[in-house]
Amino acid sequence: MRKPSDLIGKSLTRSLTPEQINAGQRGGGQGLQRVAEVVTIDEEARTVELAFSSTTPVMRWFGEEVLSHGPGAVDLERLNNGGALLMDHNWRDQVGVIVSSRIDADQVGRAVVRFSRSARADEIFQDVVDGIRSHVSVGYSVSEIKEEKRDGQANLVTVTRWAPFEVSMVAVPADQTVGVGRSGENLPEVTGDDTGQIAENETGAGNEAAGNQQREFEMETIITRDNEGNLVRAKVDDNGNIVEVVEMLERAGAGDAALLQRGREQEATRVRELTEIGSQYDAEDLALELIRSGQGVEDMNARLLDHLHQRSTNHRQIMDRSDIGMTDDEADQFSFLRAIRALANPTDRAAQEAAAFEFEASDAAAEAQGRDAQGVMVPMNVLMRAPLNTGTGGVGAGDTGGNAIANPLLSQSFIQMLRVRAILLRLATPLMGLVGNPDIPTQEGGATGYWIGEDGEAAEDILSLGQRQFSPKTVAAYSEITRRTLKQTSMDIEALVRSDLALALATSLDLAGFYGTGTDDQPLGIANTNGVNVVDFGGAGSGGGAAMPTWEDVIQMESEIAAANADVDRMAYVQNAKMRGHFKSKQKFAGTNGAPIWESDNTVNGYRGEVTNQIKQGDVFHGDFGNVLVGMWGGLDLTVDPYTHSRRGRLRLVAMQDADFVLRHAAGLCYGTDAS
């Protein structure tokens, strides 16, 4: 098929619609694209101001396109509602967010974007600061157009209503009339198709260059079959879509009609299956998107988990409130200390009356979970809130970060305390507020390509998919508090109690996530999951202990994951403190006095290094820990044991939480150990 820049001679012979423009784009249905440049950079705020669109004409397969920037022409709602900053229009490669966008009086679209602090985004942002990446591209969809048919030229298509929906960093620009201080320059004419290919007039081209400015498209004539199965000679566009039937060569026979009917039945089956999955998992919008883009059940399974996680993240507070009817103010009033005092002194009427609100909330949370609390059930929306405090901004040991209620990150909430103290919870993908035993689609292996004969059918097992069920297991951990401390009413003491409980739970969850046996009421940890890569460090270490890994062992762990096509930039190495000391003193190559395995920027083999003493001596875990899904149910069951250390005047606080681990793609992780 010829490229748009090669189609010269005749204009389109039928009316053009916005649907044809949107459907005719290449690139997986991700819309049209225009390219501009970076304008200004604020390194401290990690923001960049850029120009993303102008009225410059750009050659498309349907003619010469001009984007209107007049009043009401551009719908900026999606950009201004947390629009994504991507790399090369890849929806799975987000590096930042759009802070604001606008259309200025000079008919140029401009936006302020902020880069995230992930390793990937930091790399891209540094390239922008250094001037290596200076071009950006906007992805957009068309709603209304005005078409002008021109003799001897390509049709002029003015897009009178359009909506940008993302901005991307790209390498090759197509629209060079906007950018750093160049919004009004007269530049040589640039034409390009929607893939970013460019043909620019050379200086001194003279009359020949003027002729190039009047290019138009020539329809290619081919023999093909139409939607009814008829064999026709037809003019088609660059994507093979029939524009005009020139001649009917053969009407569809009985055999062709049967093939056509089978195709229709297969399409009906695809639509039905996607619709059923969407209805089952409350993902109707995702199913409709895949139906429109021609994707199948395999694509639905691959994207469903991300959809469920995002839905859980966005709506968990709303869901929790609907469960027990608590408002934000009521959640802020819930006090661990009042509940503990009442549990520790069941005959103290004053303590019981003071904790009446906590007991009422506990009863409602227990009823929502369908089980009885052992002590006091702390509702999930209480755990997601940060207690009020006028502290020092989070720098103190018990400080909750000042008036953190207005902080959307809720950095000192109990759940966040838990994640900060648990390495695995911080690296994994959390799914909070689960109900029942949800089934999670998993990828068991990679896709396989193969050849089929004429009229052959694709095998259904080309992508190995599976399904695992989250099943709640109860983890119990304890902390201790003195009776004198319990008498305090300081918010700092409240935060300290919550912090100690979070630490106790975090260590238990971390250990189970790495080494859980899957038996004796434990979840199944990474080390014991089938499909996880294993590297044997081999041999006994000094003094009969576990063998310590070499640089070659570290590289092999990465290679095992890469061999399964599961290596990504966000992988990490996790080990204990002694292993970190070994890596800091172990040369990569013996006898060369070279660099140690542990780099000065706290990385190992180019990936982040994490340390937790939950890892056994001699063990190392490596991979994309985002493949580890951590499910947590309901609230926190808090009980008080006043008897074990009664002679010392101490109370033992026991916290119980329902949780489970599921590995979405086991081959994306590697367990290194001395197996001898």
Side-chain angles (χ1 to χ4, degrees), residues 272-448:
R272 184 185 69 254
E273 290 176 345
L274 288 174
T275 302
E276 290 175 352
I277 295 175
S279 176
Q280 179 181 358
Y281 290 98
D282 193 20
E284 289 86 354
D285 291 342
L286 177 59
L288 183 59
E289 176 188 338
L290 297 183
I291 290 172
R292 289 174 175 172
S293 60
Q295 300 180 70
V297 174
E298 295 85 355
D299 304 289
M300 183 71 169
N301 289 335
R303 295 183 57 184
L304 185 60
L305 183 60
D306 293 333
H307 169 82
L308 294 175
H309 179 208
Q310 184 64 38
R311 186 184 67 182
S312 175
T313 301
N314 292 341
H315 300 294
R316 57 179 174 242
Q317 287 182 318
I318 296 175
M319 291 166 56
D320 289 337
R321 291 192 194 103
S322 65
D323 286 341
I324 64 173
M326 291 187 74
T327 66
D328 288 345
D329 289 341
E330 289 171 336
D332 297 338
Q333 294 171 14
F334 192 100
S335 170
F336 279 43
L337 287 176
R338 284 199 299 266
I340 293 171
R341 292 190 196 103
L343 292 174
N345 302 282
T347 60
D348 188 334
R349 181 175 179 180
Q352 302 301 308
E353 292 178 350
F357 170 72
E358 283 72 21
F359 284 134
E360 181 182 355
S362 170
D363 292 341
E367 182 179 357
Q369 290 299 310
R371 62 187 180 89
D372 294 331
Q374 299 298 313
V376 169
M377 179 71 70
V378 183
M380 180 62 73
N381 49 338
V382 172
L383 303 179
M384 297 298 295
R385 298 287 291 178
L388 285 169
N389 187 27
T390 55
T392 59
V395 298
D399 193 1
T400 60
N403 189 359
I405 297 302
N407 182 356
L409 294 178
L410 300 179
S411 59
Q412 293 298 320
S413 70
F414 184 85
I415 294 297
Q416 190 65 18
M417 287 179 181
L418 185 63
R419 292 188 63 193
V420 167
R421 285 158 175 77
I423 290 293
L424 189 55
L425 293 189
R426 190 164 71 244
L427 299 175
T429 301
L431 299 176
M432 301 293 180
L434 297 183
V435 177
N437 299 325
D439 294 323
I440 299 297
T442 60
Q443 181 179 344
E444 305 298 335
T448 303

Side-chain angles (χ1 to χ4, degrees), residues 68 72-75 141-145 158-163:
S68 173
V74 189
D75 182 1
S141 60
V142 173
S143 300
E144 297 177 7
I145 63 170
T158 302
V159 180
T160 56
R161 283 281 298 169
W162 58 284

